[in-house]
Structure formats: structure tokens, C-alpha cells
Amino acid sequence: MKKLMNMFWSFFKIGAFTFGGGYAMIPLIEVEVVDKKKWISKEEFLDIVVISQSFPGALAVNASTFVGYKVEGVKGAIMALLGTILPSFSIILIIASFFMQFRNNYYVDLVFKGISAAVPVLVLIAVISLSKSVKKNYMNLILVLVTVLLVSIIKIHPVVVIILSGIYGYFYYREKV
């Protein structure tokens, strides 16, 4: 029971103090579950992130649920999930009840501008951290460049790119394993 409460509290802290969605939460989840708690390995975490991106729903919610399940089964998944979503849910309820009074407030606007400036940096940290675990070879480098081209310039939906990358991985790595 202590480990379940510890898991809930770990994910609650991450959920409460991270702005910017799932990608901004990934480096914090990694530090907590891989580096500090050592509940899972770096490789397992990378696998969880990849699987979480492939499932519908929010990345951080999926990742926390998978981590919880990996560590403590169904109860762990529930505790990690609740820890991740309760802070956001509570904050949104509070903000929604008072938002109309403060939406044009100069100081509130400044706070949100500061937060929005930090979010891309958190996403960049997640990319750098996760890229350290990816096998470096020419084919993967080409895949990264093609993915950036398809999503940002040609405007192909990211889900299509994920499916195509999965097909690529199946055929390219099938003979190598």
C-alpha cells in the first residue's frame, strides 16, 4: 500500500506542477520513475513512451498508466492515472469557475505568457532525453528527417506518420532481430 501511495504522490506532483501537456511531462516522469525511484529502466521507459504515443489519449496519461501497470499491476495503473489527472482536473474546475472574472487581467496574462514560453523548452528536453536512447544509424536519421518534412512542411497528419513509421520498423528491423 505504501508503494501505491508513493506512486500516486509522485504522479500527483508531476501533474500539479507541469504545464504544457504530455510532452512537457515526459522528462519529469522519466526523472521520477527511472532516475529517482528506479521503478523501470531507461529502455522500458522509452518503450512506454512509444506505446503511449501510439494509443489514443493524452501522452502523459497513457505513459503514467503504463508505468503504474508495469510497477504494481492494475492498482498501480489506477493510482498513477489518478495522480496524473487529479491536479489538472481540480485546477481546471477552479479556473473555470473564476476565469471570466480574470480573463482580461493584465497580470494573469503575463503569467500565462511566461508559462507558454517555458513549454517549448520542456518539450525540447524530452526530445533530447529520448533521443539518447534511440539507436543512431543512417536509416533512423533519414526517418527523422522524413518525419519532420512530412509533418511540418507537407502537413501529413502525425497519426499517418506514426503508422508509416511502425510499418517501416516492422520491415526494416524484422530481419535484424
Side-chain angles (χ1 to χ4, degrees):
M1 185 65 167
K2 184 178 179 184
K3 192 170 190 179
L4 288 172
M5 290 309 297
N6 192 358
M7 183 174 295
F8 172 82
W9 181 244
S10 293
F11 283 101
F12 188 88
K13 289 186 298 187
I14 293 167
F17 297 107
T18 308
F19 293 91
Y23 289 102
M25 292 174 111
I26 292 301
L28 299 175
I29 294 172
E30 180 182 5
V31 166
E32 188 72 17
V33 304
V34 175
D35 300 335
K36 288 183 182 176
K37 305 288 185 190
K38 302 201 184 308
W39 287 333
I40 60 174
S41 70
K42 176 95 168 162
E43 293 76 24
E44 289 173 315
F45 183 73
L46 181 61
D47 290 343
I48 285 172
V49 171
V50 170
I51 291 169
S52 297
Q53 289 175 320
S54 303
F55 274 68
L59 174 63
V61 172
N62 292 345
S64 63
T65 304
F66 282 124
V67 168
Y69 185 79
K70 174 87 174 145
V71 176
E72 285 290 316
V74 173
K75 289 179 183 176
I78 292 169
M79 294 304 273
L81 173 67
L82 288 174
T84 303
I85 65 171
L86 280 179
S88 298
F89 181 74
S90 303
I91 290 167
I92 292 298
L93 280 179
I94 292 167
I95 289 174
S97 64
F98 295 107
F99 182 70
M100 294 308 284
Q101 298 172 13
F102 297 105
R103 76 176 188 178
N104 294 324
N105 183 293
Y106 174 75
Y107 299 105
V108 171
D109 186 50
L110 293 177
V111 168
F112 279 106
K113 284 181 181 177
I115 291 170
S116 66
V119 170
V121 175
L122 292 173
V123 173
L124 179 62
I125 290 168
V127 169
I128 291 169
S129 176
L130 292 174
S131 70
K132 291 177 183 175
S133 299
V134 175
K135 188 175 184 176
K136 303 315 184 268
N137 61 39
Y138 288 113
M139 289 305 293
N140 283 347
L141 178 61
I142 291 169
L143 183 62
V144 168
L145 296 174
V146 168
T147 299
V148 169
L149 174 75
L150 291 175
V151 173
S152 62
I153 297 174
I154 300 177
K155 306 290 186 204
I156 292 180
H157 197 280
V159 172
V160 173
V161 175
I162 290 170
I163 291 169
L164 292 173
S165 298
I167 293 169
Y168 153 78
Y170 173 78
F171 287 108
Y172 183 75
Y173 289 108
R174 154 176 88 171
E175 301 297 323
K176 298 182 184 341
V177 178

Short mmCIF file of all heavy atoms in Angstrom, two decimals, residues 49-103:
data_model
loop_
_atom_site.label_atom_id
_atom_site.label_comp_id
_atom_site.label_asym_id
_atom_site.label_seq_id
_atom_site.Cartn_x
_atom_site.Cartn_y
_atom_site.Cartn_z
N VAL A 49 6.90 5.19 -23.67
CA VAL A 49 6.58 6.44 -24.36
C VAL A 49 6.14 6.16 -25.79
O VAL A 49 5.15 6.73 -26.27
CB VAL A 49 7.78 7.42 -24.33
CG1 VAL A 49 7.54 8.62 -25.24
CG2 VAL A 49 8.04 7.89 -22.91
N VAL A 50 6.84 5.26 -26.47
CA VAL A 50 6.47 4.92 -27.85
C VAL A 50 5.07 4.31 -27.90
O VAL A 50 4.24 4.70 -28.72
CB VAL A 50 7.52 3.95 -28.47
CG1 VAL A 50 7.03 3.40 -29.79
CG2 VAL A 50 8.85 4.67 -28.64
N ILE A 51 4.80 3.38 -26.99
CA ILE A 51 3.47 2.75 -26.96
C ILE A 51 2.41 3.79 -26.60
O ILE A 51 1.32 3.81 -27.20
CB ILE A 51 3.45 1.58 -25.97
CG1 ILE A 51 4.31 0.43 -26.49
CG2 ILE A 51 2.03 1.10 -25.70
CD1 ILE A 51 4.58 -0.66 -25.47
N SER A 52 2.72 4.66 -25.65
CA SER A 52 1.76 5.69 -25.22
C SER A 52 1.41 6.63 -26.35
O SER A 52 0.27 7.10 -26.44
CB SER A 52 2.34 6.50 -24.06
OG SER A 52 2.56 5.66 -22.95
N GLN A 53 2.37 6.95 -27.22
CA GLN A 53 2.10 7.82 -28.36
C GLN A 53 1.21 7.13 -29.38
O GLN A 53 0.50 7.78 -30.13
CB GLN A 53 3.40 8.25 -29.02
CG GLN A 53 4.20 9.21 -28.20
CD GLN A 53 5.54 9.53 -28.83
OE1 GLN A 53 6.21 8.65 -29.37
NE2 GLN A 53 5.95 10.77 -28.73
N SER A 54 1.27 5.81 -29.42
CA SER A 54 0.51 5.05 -30.40
C SER A 54 -0.95 4.86 -29.98
O SER A 54 -1.79 4.56 -30.82
CB SER A 54 1.14 3.68 -30.62
OG SER A 54 2.48 3.83 -31.01
N PHE A 55 -1.25 5.01 -28.70
CA PHE A 55 -2.60 4.83 -28.21
C PHE A 55 -3.35 6.15 -28.23
O PHE A 55 -2.75 7.22 -28.08
CB PHE A 55 -2.56 4.32 -26.76
CG PHE A 55 -2.44 2.83 -26.65
CD1 PHE A 55 -1.28 2.18 -27.05
CD2 PHE A 55 -3.49 2.08 -26.16
CE1 PHE A 55 -1.16 0.81 -26.96
CE2 PHE A 55 -3.38 0.70 -26.05
CZ PHE A 55 -2.22 0.06 -26.46
N PRO A 56 -4.68 6.09 -28.38
CA PRO A 56 -5.46 7.33 -28.31
C PRO A 56 -5.41 7.89 -26.88
O PRO A 56 -5.29 7.14 -25.92
CB PRO A 56 -6.88 6.90 -28.66
CG PRO A 56 -6.86 5.44 -28.82
CD PRO A 56 -5.48 4.93 -28.66
N GLY A 57 -5.49 9.19 -26.78
CA GLY A 57 -5.49 9.82 -25.47
C GLY A 57 -4.24 10.63 -25.23
O GLY A 57 -3.33 10.67 -26.07
N ALA A 58 -4.21 11.24 -24.07
CA ALA A 58 -3.09 12.11 -23.71
C ALA A 58 -1.84 11.28 -23.43
O ALA A 58 -1.90 10.26 -22.74
CB ALA A 58 -3.46 12.94 -22.50
N LEU A 59 -0.72 11.74 -23.94
CA LEU A 59 0.55 11.03 -23.80
C LEU A 59 0.91 10.79 -22.34
O LEU A 59 1.25 9.67 -21.94
CB LEU A 59 1.67 11.81 -24.49
CG LEU A 59 3.09 11.29 -24.31
CD1 LEU A 59 3.24 9.90 -24.92
CD2 LEU A 59 4.08 12.24 -24.93
N ALA A 60 0.85 11.81 -21.51
CA ALA A 60 1.24 11.67 -20.10
C ALA A 60 0.30 10.73 -19.35
O ALA A 60 0.74 9.96 -18.49
CB ALA A 60 1.27 13.03 -19.42
N VAL A 61 -0.97 10.79 -19.67
CA VAL A 61 -1.94 9.90 -19.02
C VAL A 61 -1.65 8.46 -19.41
O VAL A 61 -1.61 7.56 -18.56
CB VAL A 61 -3.39 10.31 -19.39
CG1 VAL A 61 -4.39 9.28 -18.89
CG2 VAL A 61 -3.70 11.69 -18.84
N ASN A 62 -1.43 8.23 -20.69
CA ASN A 62 -1.10 6.87 -21.16
C ASN A 62 0.20 6.38 -20.54
O ASN A 62 0.28 5.25 -20.05
CB ASN A 62 -0.99 6.83 -22.68
CG ASN A 62 -2.31 7.04 -23.38
OD1 ASN A 62 -3.37 6.94 -22.77
ND2 ASN A 62 -2.26 7.34 -24.65
N ALA A 63 1.22 7.23 -20.55
CA ALA A 63 2.53 6.83 -20.03
C ALA A 63 2.45 6.52 -18.54
O ALA A 63 3.00 5.52 -18.08
CB ALA A 63 3.57 7.92 -20.30
N SER A 64 1.77 7.37 -17.78
CA SER A 64 1.68 7.12 -16.35
C SER A 64 0.91 5.83 -16.07
O SER A 64 1.28 5.07 -15.17
CB SER A 64 1.03 8.31 -15.63
OG SER A 64 -0.30 8.50 -16.06
N THR A 65 -0.14 5.58 -16.83
CA THR A 65 -0.91 4.35 -16.65
C THR A 65 -0.05 3.13 -16.94
O THR A 65 -0.07 2.15 -16.18
CB THR A 65 -2.16 4.36 -17.56
OG1 THR A 65 -2.92 5.54 -17.28
CG2 THR A 65 -3.01 3.13 -17.33
N PHE A 66 0.72 3.18 -18.03
CA PHE A 66 1.59 2.05 -18.37
C PHE A 66 2.68 1.84 -17.31
O PHE A 66 2.99 0.71 -16.95
CB PHE A 66 2.24 2.23 -19.75
CG PHE A 66 1.32 1.91 -20.89
CD1 PHE A 66 1.06 2.86 -21.87
CD2 PHE A 66 0.72 0.67 -21.01
CE1 PHE A 66 0.22 2.57 -22.93
CE2 PHE A 66 -0.13 0.37 -22.06
CZ PHE A 66 -0.39 1.33 -23.03
N VAL A 67 3.26 2.93 -16.82
CA VAL A 67 4.28 2.81 -15.77
C VAL A 67 3.66 2.19 -14.53
O VAL A 67 4.22 1.26 -13.93
CB VAL A 67 4.92 4.19 -15.44
CG1 VAL A 67 5.75 4.10 -14.18
CG2 VAL A 67 5.77 4.68 -16.59
N GLY A 68 2.51 2.71 -14.12
CA GLY A 68 1.83 2.16 -12.95
C GLY A 68 1.53 0.69 -13.09
O GLY A 68 1.72 -0.10 -12.16
N TYR A 69 1.06 0.30 -14.28
CA TYR A 69 0.75 -1.11 -14.52
C TYR A 69 2.02 -1.97 -14.48
O TYR A 69 2.02 -3.06 -13.91
CB TYR A 69 0.04 -1.27 -15.87
CG TYR A 69 -0.42 -2.69 -16.10
CD1 TYR A 69 -1.57 -3.17 -15.50
CD2 TYR A 69 0.32 -3.55 -16.91
CE1 TYR A 69 -1.99 -4.48 -15.69
CE2 TYR A 69 -0.09 -4.86 -17.11
CZ TYR A 69 -1.25 -5.32 -16.50
OH TYR A 69 -1.65 -6.62 -16.69
N LYS A 70 3.08 -1.47 -15.07
CA LYS A 70 4.35 -2.20 -15.10
C LYS A 70 4.88 -2.44 -13.68
O LYS A 70 5.41 -3.49 -13.37
CB LYS A 70 5.38 -1.42 -15.93
CG LYS A 70 6.76 -1.97 -15.93
CD LYS A 70 6.93 -3.01 -16.99
CE LYS A 70 8.38 -3.44 -17.07
NZ LYS A 70 8.51 -4.83 -17.39
N VAL A 71 4.71 -1.44 -12.81
CA VAL A 71 5.28 -1.50 -11.47
C VAL A 71 4.37 -2.24 -10.49
O VAL A 71 4.83 -3.06 -9.70
CB VAL A 71 5.59 -0.08 -10.95
CG1 VAL A 71 6.09 -0.10 -9.52
CG2 VAL A 71 6.61 0.61 -11.85
N GLU A 72 3.06 -1.97 -10.52
CA GLU A 72 2.15 -2.51 -9.50
C GLU A 72 0.85 -3.08 -10.07
O GLU A 72 -0.13 -3.17 -9.35
CB GLU A 72 1.80 -1.43 -8.48
CG GLU A 72 2.90 -1.12 -7.50
CD GLU A 72 3.15 -2.26 -6.50
OE1 GLU A 72 2.19 -2.82 -5.96
OE2 GLU A 72 4.33 -2.56 -6.27
N GLY A 73 0.83 -3.41 -11.35
CA GLY A 73 -0.37 -4.03 -11.93
C GLY A 73 -1.51 -3.04 -12.06
O GLY A 73 -1.31 -1.83 -12.18
N VAL A 74 -2.73 -3.55 -11.99
CA VAL A 74 -3.93 -2.73 -12.19
C VAL A 74 -4.04 -1.64 -11.13
O VAL A 74 -4.35 -0.49 -11.44
CB VAL A 74 -5.20 -3.61 -12.21
CG1 VAL A 74 -6.46 -2.76 -12.27
CG2 VAL A 74 -5.16 -4.56 -13.40
N LYS A 75 -3.77 -1.97 -9.87
CA LYS A 75 -3.84 -0.96 -8.80
C LYS A 75 -2.82 0.16 -9.05
O LYS A 75 -3.11 1.33 -8.84
CB LYS A 75 -3.59 -1.59 -7.44
CG LYS A 75 -4.72 -2.47 -6.98
CD LYS A 75 -4.40 -3.09 -5.63
CE LYS A 75 -5.50 -4.04 -5.20
NZ LYS A 75 -5.18 -4.72 -3.93
N GLY A 76 -1.64 -0.20 -9.50
CA GLY A 76 -0.63 0.80 -9.81
C GLY A 76 -1.06 1.68 -10.96
O GLY A 76 -0.82 2.90 -10.95
N ALA A 77 -1.67 1.08 -11.98
CA ALA A 77 -2.15 1.85 -13.12
C ALA A 77 -3.20 2.87 -12.68
O ALA A 77 -3.17 4.03 -13.10
CB ALA A 77 -2.72 0.92 -14.19
N ILE A 78 -4.10 2.44 -11.81
CA ILE A 78 -5.16 3.33 -11.33
C ILE A 78 -4.57 4.47 -10.50
O ILE A 78 -4.93 5.64 -10.68
CB ILE A 78 -6.22 2.55 -10.53
CG1 ILE A 78 -6.99 1.62 -11.48
CG2 ILE A 78 -7.17 3.49 -9.80
CD1 ILE A 78 -7.87 0.60 -10.78
N MET A 79 -3.66 4.14 -9.59
CA MET A 79 -3.06 5.18 -8.74
C MET A 79 -2.24 6.18 -9.56
O MET A 79 -2.31 7.39 -9.32
CB MET A 79 -2.20 4.55 -7.65
CG MET A 79 -2.98 3.72 -6.65
SD MET A 79 -4.30 4.65 -5.86
CE MET A 79 -3.39 5.37 -4.51
N ALA A 80 -1.46 5.69 -10.52
CA ALA A 80 -0.67 6.58 -11.36
C ALA A 80 -1.59 7.46 -12.21
O ALA A 80 -1.35 8.66 -12.37
CB ALA A 80 0.28 5.77 -12.24
N LEU A 81 -2.63 6.86 -12.75
CA LEU A 81 -3.60 7.61 -13.55
C LEU A 81 -4.27 8.71 -12.73
O LEU A 81 -4.32 9.87 -13.15
CB LEU A 81 -4.65 6.65 -14.12
CG LEU A 81 -5.83 7.29 -14.85
CD1 LEU A 81 -5.36 7.95 -16.12
CD2 LEU A 81 -6.88 6.24 -15.15
N LEU A 82 -4.75 8.35 -11.55
CA LEU A 82 -5.40 9.35 -10.69
C LEU A 82 -4.41 10.45 -10.29
O LEU A 82 -4.77 11.63 -10.27
CB LEU A 82 -5.99 8.68 -9.44
CG LEU A 82 -7.22 7.83 -9.67
CD1 LEU A 82 -7.62 7.11 -8.39
CD2 LEU A 82 -8.37 8.66 -10.21
N GLY A 83 -3.19 10.07 -9.96
CA GLY A 83 -2.19 11.05 -9.60
C GLY A 83 -1.91 12.03 -10.73
O GLY A 83 -1.67 13.22 -10.49
N THR A 84 -1.95 11.54 -11.96
CA THR A 84 -1.67 12.39 -13.11
C THR A 84 -2.82 13.33 -13.43
O THR A 84 -2.61 14.50 -13.73
CB THR A 84 -1.35 11.52 -14.35
OG1 THR A 84 -0.25 10.67 -14.04
CG2 THR A 84 -1.01 12.37 -15.55
N ILE A 85 -4.06 12.84 -13.36
CA ILE A 85 -5.19 13.64 -13.84
C ILE A 85 -5.86 14.50 -12.77
O ILE A 85 -6.44 15.53 -13.11
CB ILE A 85 -6.25 12.78 -14.56
CG1 ILE A 85 -6.90 11.79 -13.60
CG2 ILE A 85 -5.65 12.09 -15.76
CD1 ILE A 85 -8.09 11.05 -14.18
N LEU A 86 -5.79 14.11 -11.50
CA LEU A 86 -6.49 14.87 -10.48
C LEU A 86 -6.02 16.33 -10.36
O LEU A 86 -6.87 17.23 -10.21
CB LEU A 86 -6.42 14.17 -9.12
CG LEU A 86 -7.41 13.03 -8.93
CD1 LEU A 86 -7.23 12.37 -7.57
CD2 LEU A 86 -8.84 13.49 -9.11
N PRO A 87 -4.72 16.60 -10.41
CA PRO A 87 -4.32 18.02 -10.31
C PRO A 87 -4.89 18.87 -11.45
O PRO A 87 -5.46 19.94 -11.20
CB PRO A 87 -2.80 17.97 -10.38
CG PRO A 87 -2.43 16.61 -9.95
CD PRO A 87 -3.55 15.72 -10.41
N SER A 88 -4.77 18.39 -12.67
CA SER A 88 -5.29 19.15 -13.82
C SER A 88 -6.80 19.31 -13.73
O SER A 88 -7.32 20.41 -13.98
CB SER A 88 -4.94 18.43 -15.13
OG SER A 88 -3.56 18.36 -15.27
N PHE A 89 -7.47 18.24 -13.38
CA PHE A 89 -8.92 18.28 -13.26
C PHE A 89 -9.35 19.32 -12.22
O PHE A 89 -10.22 20.15 -12.46
CB PHE A 89 -9.45 16.89 -12.89
CG PHE A 89 -10.94 16.81 -12.76
CD1 PHE A 89 -11.75 16.83 -13.89
CD2 PHE A 89 -11.53 16.73 -11.51
CE1 PHE A 89 -13.13 16.77 -13.77
CE2 PHE A 89 -12.91 16.67 -11.38
CZ PHE A 89 -13.71 16.69 -12.51
N SER A 90 -8.69 19.29 -11.07
CA SER A 90 -9.02 20.23 -9.98
C SER A 90 -8.71 21.66 -10.39
O SER A 90 -9.52 22.57 -10.15
CB SER A 90 -8.24 19.87 -8.72
OG SER A 90 -8.51 18.55 -8.33
N ILE A 91 -7.55 21.87 -10.98
CA ILE A 91 -7.15 23.21 -11.39
C ILE A 91 -8.10 23.76 -12.45
O ILE A 91 -8.51 24.93 -12.38
CB ILE A 91 -5.69 23.21 -11.91
CG1 ILE A 91 -4.73 22.97 -10.73
CG2 ILE A 91 -5.35 24.52 -12.61
CD1 ILE A 91 -3.31 22.66 -11.15
N ILE A 92 -8.49 22.92 -13.40
CA ILE A 92 -9.42 23.37 -14.45
C ILE A 92 -10.77 23.74 -13.85
O ILE A 92 -11.39 24.74 -14.25
CB ILE A 92 -9.58 22.29 -15.55
CG1 ILE A 92 -8.29 22.13 -16.32
CG2 ILE A 92 -10.74 22.60 -16.47
CD1 ILE A 92 -7.83 23.38 -17.06
N LEU A 93 -11.25 22.95 -12.88
CA LEU A 93 -12.52 23.30 -12.24
C LEU A 93 -12.44 24.65 -11.53
O LEU A 93 -13.35 25.47 -11.64
CB LEU A 93 -12.90 22.22 -11.22
CG LEU A 93 -13.52 20.96 -11.76
CD1 LEU A 93 -13.82 19.97 -10.63
CD2 LEU A 93 -14.80 21.25 -12.53
N ILE A 94 -11.34 24.87 -10.84
CA ILE A 94 -11.17 26.14 -10.13
C ILE A 94 -11.04 27.30 -11.12
O ILE A 94 -11.71 28.34 -10.97
CB ILE A 94 -9.93 26.08 -9.20
CG1 ILE A 94 -10.19 25.09 -8.06
CG2 ILE A 94 -9.59 27.46 -8.66
CD1 ILE A 94 -8.96 24.71 -7.27
N ILE A 95 -10.22 27.12 -12.13
CA ILE A 95 -10.03 28.19 -13.12
C ILE A 95 -11.33 28.49 -13.85
O ILE A 95 -11.68 29.65 -14.06
CB ILE A 95 -8.91 27.81 -14.12
CG1 ILE A 95 -7.55 27.86 -13.41
CG2 ILE A 95 -8.92 28.74 -15.32
CD1 ILE A 95 -6.39 27.36 -14.27
N ALA A 96 -12.05 27.44 -14.22
CA ALA A 96 -13.29 27.64 -14.96
C ALA A 96 -14.31 28.44 -14.14
O ALA A 96 -15.06 29.26 -14.68
CB ALA A 96 -13.89 26.31 -15.38
N SER A 97 -14.32 28.23 -12.83
CA SER A 97 -15.29 28.94 -12.01
C SER A 97 -14.93 30.42 -11.83
O SER A 97 -15.80 31.24 -11.56
CB SER A 97 -15.44 28.25 -10.65
OG SER A 97 -14.23 28.30 -9.95
N PHE A 98 -13.65 30.77 -11.99
CA PHE A 98 -13.23 32.16 -11.80
C PHE A 98 -12.71 32.83 -13.07
O PHE A 98 -12.42 34.03 -13.06
CB PHE A 98 -12.12 32.24 -10.75
CG PHE A 98 -12.57 31.82 -9.39
CD1 PHE A 98 -12.17 30.60 -8.86
CD2 PHE A 98 -13.39 32.64 -8.63
CE1 PHE A 98 -12.58 30.21 -7.60
CE2 PHE A 98 -13.80 32.26 -7.36
CZ PHE A 98 -13.40 31.04 -6.85
N PHE A 99 -12.60 32.09 -14.16
CA PHE A 99 -11.92 32.59 -15.35
C PHE A 99 -12.54 33.86 -15.91
O PHE A 99 -11.83 34.79 -16.31
CB PHE A 99 -11.85 31.52 -16.43
CG PHE A 99 -11.13 31.97 -17.66
CD1 PHE A 99 -9.76 32.17 -17.63
CD2 PHE A 99 -11.80 32.21 -18.85
CE1 PHE A 99 -9.07 32.61 -18.76
CE2 PHE A 99 -11.13 32.64 -19.98
CZ PHE A 99 -9.77 32.83 -19.93
N MET A 100 -13.83 33.91 -15.96
CA MET A 100 -14.48 35.06 -16.58
C MET A 100 -14.13 36.36 -15.85
O MET A 100 -14.06 37.41 -16.47
CB MET A 100 -16.00 34.87 -16.62
CG MET A 100 -16.43 33.72 -17.53
SD MET A 100 -15.75 33.83 -19.20
CE MET A 100 -16.76 35.11 -19.89
N GLN A 101 -13.86 36.28 -14.55
CA GLN A 101 -13.51 37.48 -13.78
C GLN A 101 -12.10 37.96 -14.09
O GLN A 101 -11.80 39.14 -13.96
CB GLN A 101 -13.61 37.19 -12.28
CG GLN A 101 -15.00 36.82 -11.82
CD GLN A 101 -14.99 36.35 -10.37
OE1 GLN A 101 -14.02 36.52 -9.66
NE2 GLN A 101 -16.10 35.76 -9.96
N PHE A 102 -11.21 37.03 -14.49
CA PHE A 102 -9.80 37.36 -14.62
C PHE A 102 -9.24 37.24 -16.03
O PHE A 102 -8.07 37.48 -16.24
CB PHE A 102 -8.96 36.46 -13.70
CG PHE A 102 -9.26 36.63 -12.26
CD1 PHE A 102 -10.00 35.70 -11.57
CD2 PHE A 102 -8.82 37.76 -11.58
CE1 PHE A 102 -10.29 35.86 -10.23
CE2 PHE A 102 -9.10 37.93 -10.23
CZ PHE A 102 -9.84 36.98 -9.56
N ARG A 103 -10.05 36.86 -16.99
CA ARG A 103 -9.50 36.56 -18.31
C ARG A 103 -8.83 37.75 -18.97
O ARG A 103 -7.91 37.58 -19.76
CB ARG A 103 -10.55 35.95 -19.23
CG ARG A 103 -11.54 36.92 -19.76
CD ARG A 103 -12.47 36.24 -20.72
NE ARG A 103 -13.29 37.26 -21.35
CZ ARG A 103 -14.16 37.02 -22.24
NH1 ARG A 103 -14.33 35.81 -22.66
NH2 ARG A 103 -14.86 37.99 -22.76
#
